[in-house]
Amino acid sequence: MSEIPKAYEPRSVESKWYQFWLEHKCFIADPARVSEKRPAYSIVIPPPNVTGVLTLGHVLNNTVQDILARKARMDGKEVLWLPGTDHAGIATQTVVERTLKKAGEIKHRNDLGREKLLEKIWEWKEKHDGIIIQQLKRLGASCDWTRERFTMDPEYSRCVQKVFVDLYKKGLIYRGKRMVNWCPASLTALSDEEVVMKQQNGLLYYFRVEVAEDAGTFLTIATTRPETIPGDTAVAVNPRDPRYAQFIGKHVIRPLPAELPREQKLIPIIGDEHVDFEFGTGVLKVTPAHDKADFEIYQRLCEKIFKKNENDLLPDIRGPIEVIKADGTMSEAAGADLSGLDRFKARKVAGEKLAELGLLEREERYTNNVGFSERADVPVEPRLSEQWFLQYPSKSESRAVAAEGQMKFFPERWAKVYDHWMANLQDWCISRQLWWGHRIPVWTKIYRNELEMPEAIREAILHDAECSVSGLAGRSSYVRSERTVAETWTVWAATYFDEEAAALGRLGFTQDPDVLDTWFSAWLWPFATMGWTGNPETDSKNPELTAFYPTTDLVTGPDIIFFWVARMIMAGYEYTGQMPFRNVYFTGIIRDKQGRKMSKSLGNSPDPLDLIDTYGADALRFGVMRSAPLGQDVLFDEQHVELGRNFCNKLWNACRFRQMQGGETEGEIDPALLTSDDKWILLKLDLAIREISNSLLEYKFNEAAQALYRFFWSEFCDWYLEASKAVFFGNDLARKANTSSVLDFVLSNTLRLFHPFLPFITEELWRGLGYNEDLPTDQGGETIMFARWPQPFGDDFKGHYGLDESIVRFVDAKYELVSQGRNLRREGNISSSKKVTFVLKPAQELSADEAQVLKILLHAERLDIDSEFRPRKGTPAVRSPLGELYLPLEGLIDIAAEKGRLNKELSKIDAEIEKVKQKLGNPAFAQKVPPAVLEEHQHRLSEWEAKRKRVHDSLGALGES
RNA sequence: GCGCGCUUAGCUCAGUGGUAGAGCAUUACCUUCACACGGUAGGGGUCGCAGGUUCGAAACCUGCAGCGCGCACCA
């Protein structure tokens, strides 16, 4: 610190030290250095969207990780914080498509075609690549950037393919026509986790249908979706419902499409236990193509129904009828009135049509939950389609590890949420109708008969097994087949070998057009980023994996506990046989100060980079951490960051004060010269070290930040620094040097305690004050990053410097006297700048040095120590265990007001005394309470009584005047 | 419907059996030689409600209310 600006200026300091750390390879992990004495510590970053920008959520998340990583380095561990980015399938492709459409380059992605669009997305990726990484660097993130990974790196993609093929081989991945959540905006299937339920205000339409066999008899059906009536293939009632049981087996006339002839409108009335008597009218329309529950009914009963229909009545209804197309518009099957309309428009029109036909009984306002696409924010459409599904692997180990506590969740309650989800696992729809992502490594071809097949494939089909299509050793595909009507064979071949893919191509096989859900690559993150190959022999020799896997901590948001955390655990067990991380820390969710989620559309999401520019990265980090309790959402307020800045400035100036005193850096501390204030601050430091270390151990970062704040500001600056001025303003060189040494000792410890939270300013001050100078390079000599984490004082240390609790009592009493003395000024309306003389009538011997401290702290021009002092009547005074302190100024005190104040205080004290007395007076209390508590209460009583006497005396002194 | 969490000063939140706390905001005074991004001293709370356990409850138990979040195929 050659120049000492009055205020801390973060900008140049931050870039300077970040550069320094990079140049000195401080963030690079070396598995070769890991040993018993130097254990490994590792975290993998939750990979942000490669084209994304930093949000406050990232700030919270990555600050926590950085604190953990930096603390671990100071604990002497070999630290790997592995960074990277995610290709974020839907989000990225949507953004690029939208941009191209806006620019008028395309109307639809088909205008470009798959290859061209992918080129555009890669261009986009290259252009935005690294933005968020640069932003993380601004924040101070100490990631090992040499190991940065991207989910679509070639090696990573290979891992994804290998895992797919392996799960396919194991029969856990299958393809099937199922009811899936379809997003009509993104035109892709979604997993259950990507659907969020939202309450919607809609209408419940009650309409009548005539029973075909009993002309003139009508059933009334309640529905929220009349537009799907043309897709109804049955009407269901509960067989135990006496109102309707008699109708089972008969038919109703479906009102829409209106133009169909009567015989094509007949649909059966079926019985199904699923139907709720209570709801609506107890009659349910069954639309198997557009409702999950209806599809299940259809599956349960279709055989029965349609067998019966063979020779029976007339309907030409053989299965689900698709009336809503992929893009959310009505199909031709919906009939002339609805065809081509948007599904919501069609709802209105269908209602009107029913009314027109005289079949609409009534409409009721109705609130229900509708699934929305999380990403596109439109209602999802349950839709039948061919998709790939995964039955989760390694379920039981994955569930047990959290339930039995080998893996710890912070806060713990998330373990329950996780367990509940694991207990009710549904198969995962992993295919997406997108182009940006990992294309499903399955090739397919239809053969008319077995003879057309190459021999290798025919053999494989017979044994349902592996074969080499390319004929190359060690290159294979895994083949499955399905024999359909007319002796036709559909053959699927899954492989991760390029040679095989090429060979399949030559045979006329085509690759599945779909890509995998982004999370299907993200769930491999903890080991795929470390060079995992899936070959046990190779992997056991991989130094990264052996040293750093399983990782130590995972830090993420609870919103992706199922998307990511749970799936990583299962993938971890399946592919490494181990849990992927030992501890999972869930941050809160950042909201604005009104409690709303941060969102672009609300515009309530401040840009962290602006905040860093305005206040500094350390300020942002500290502000966020100080207000982010474990397990609670964080209501963000820019004032928190301002507080962080102010705090950094305070730290800066305290160090500036030290520097202005000059002298030797970190000189020897002479126990004989220690003042009571020195001992007090050393004891407070010891407490702070304990408190902060424990808080960090329990992942209670806001507690640690608050403890740091309190110790540094309220103890060190407010009292110790001020008291030290008594020495520095004096002439005793030896005492000055000793006080400097204590200051250095406390500051060097404080800077280290602060470093995980405030990496930049602590480095600047560490080097600026020269605390690095006598240390070995790898223990703080080069950078504070590797300085030893402060340890609580041992008994030897405390004995040597005479640090015991009696000091604390004395010093606390001293500071209490000072506060009261300062209050006298206020009560007397004496301006802070006015020079005054205090007189102390001491209750015990007080050294000249202590008197000097009192004088300085009181901002007194003079402090007379006079045990014979006889104040004039009416002299304002306070009485403390150290003695009576007078402010002998005549006429400046409003006696009546002072009396009022003292009386108020007296009644407060009386109330306290009453409370304690009541407790002590209770015979049960004395009997049952532990002795320490009893003693404490007695002590408290005598203190209050002593206080009462002092106030009473003061009042008396006033009253006699 | 089930589960979880929250309710403490004007605001945001700590505080899990023993004297109600912090930051911000607020009032008054102060540009005093580390810091006005500062200092000093104040004011402000029947700890959501009602019971219970206990010598003692903001904390533990029960019930209720309000808010929030998960999970769930009521059309």
Side-chain angles (χ1 to χ4, degrees), chain A residues 846-857:
Chain A
L846 209 62
S847 74
D849 291 335
E850 294 291 2
Q852 184 62 15
V853 170
L854 280 175
K855 193 195 114 180
I856 294 275
L857 292 177

Side-chain angles (χ1 to χ4, degrees), chain A residues 110-147:
Chain A
N110 287 337
D111 298 348
L112 270 181
R114 187 169 193 136
E115 296 307 315
K116 283 269 161 54
L117 183 72
L118 282 177
E119 268 174 38
K120 293 275 184 192
I121 301 176
W122 275 109
E123 275 171 32
W124 180 271
K125 184 247 169 198
E126 297 303 333
K127 205 168 117 195
H128 294 81
D129 196 7
I131 291 184
I132 197 163
I133 297 296
Q134 289 312 314
Q135 292 176 323
L136 284 170
K137 291 178 180 174
R138 286 286 311 275
L139 187 65
S142 59
C143 302
D144 183 349
W145 301 110
T146 64
R147 289 184 161 84

Side-chain angles (χ1 to χ4, degrees), chain A residues 418-433:
Chain A
Y418 171 80
D419 194 66
H420 183 251
W421 191 75
M422 289 299 293
N424 296 285
L425 277 182
Q426 302 290 315
D427 290 357
W428 175 13
C429 174
I430 53 173
S431 45
R432 295 290 177 275
Q433 285 64 54

Side-chain angles (χ1 to χ4, degrees), chain A residues 809-824:
Chain A
R809 280 202 295 280
F810 171 74
V811 174
D812 284 349
K814 181 165 67 180
Y815 295 164
E816 174 60 25
L817 175 63
V818 168
S819 289
Q820 288 183 21
R822 287 164 174 172
N823 186 244
L824 282 183

Side-chain angles (χ1 to χ4, degrees), chain A residues 155-209:
Chain A
E155 312 82 62
Y156 199 103
S157 299
R158 188 66 79 201
C159 293
V160 174
Q161 293 174 339
K162 278 185 178 172
V163 164
F164 183 98
V165 172
D166 178 72
L167 292 167
Y168 185 72
K169 222 171 179 172
K170 288 172 178 160
L172 294 172
I173 285 180
Y174 60 91
R175 190 178 140 86
K177 191 159 190 176
R178 294 284 138 80
M179 192 56 81
V180 295
N181 306 300
W182 182 266
C183 174
S186 312
L187 297 176
T188 178
L190 301 173
S191 68
D192 296 344
E193 288 70 33
E194 286 160 285
V195 178
V196 289
M197 301 307 276
K198 288 193 185 182
Q199 209 172 63
Q200 294 293 299
N201 295 316
L203 292 170
L204 196 55
Y205 298 79
Y206 287 81
F207 69 100
R208 288 184 297 160
V209 289

Side-chain angles (χ1 to χ4, degrees), chain A residues 26 121 172 209 222 232 235 250 261 273 288 322 332 367 398 429 491 611 694 705 708 758 796 814 851 896 900 926:
Chain A
C26 297
I121 301 176
L172 294 172
V209 289
D232 291 349
V235 162
K250 296 184 176 174
E273 296 283 340
E322 187 185 271
E332 277 180 30
T367 317
S398 300
C429 174
V491 177
L611 294 171
N694 283 336
L708 278 164
L758 310 172
D796 287 356
K814 181 165 67 180

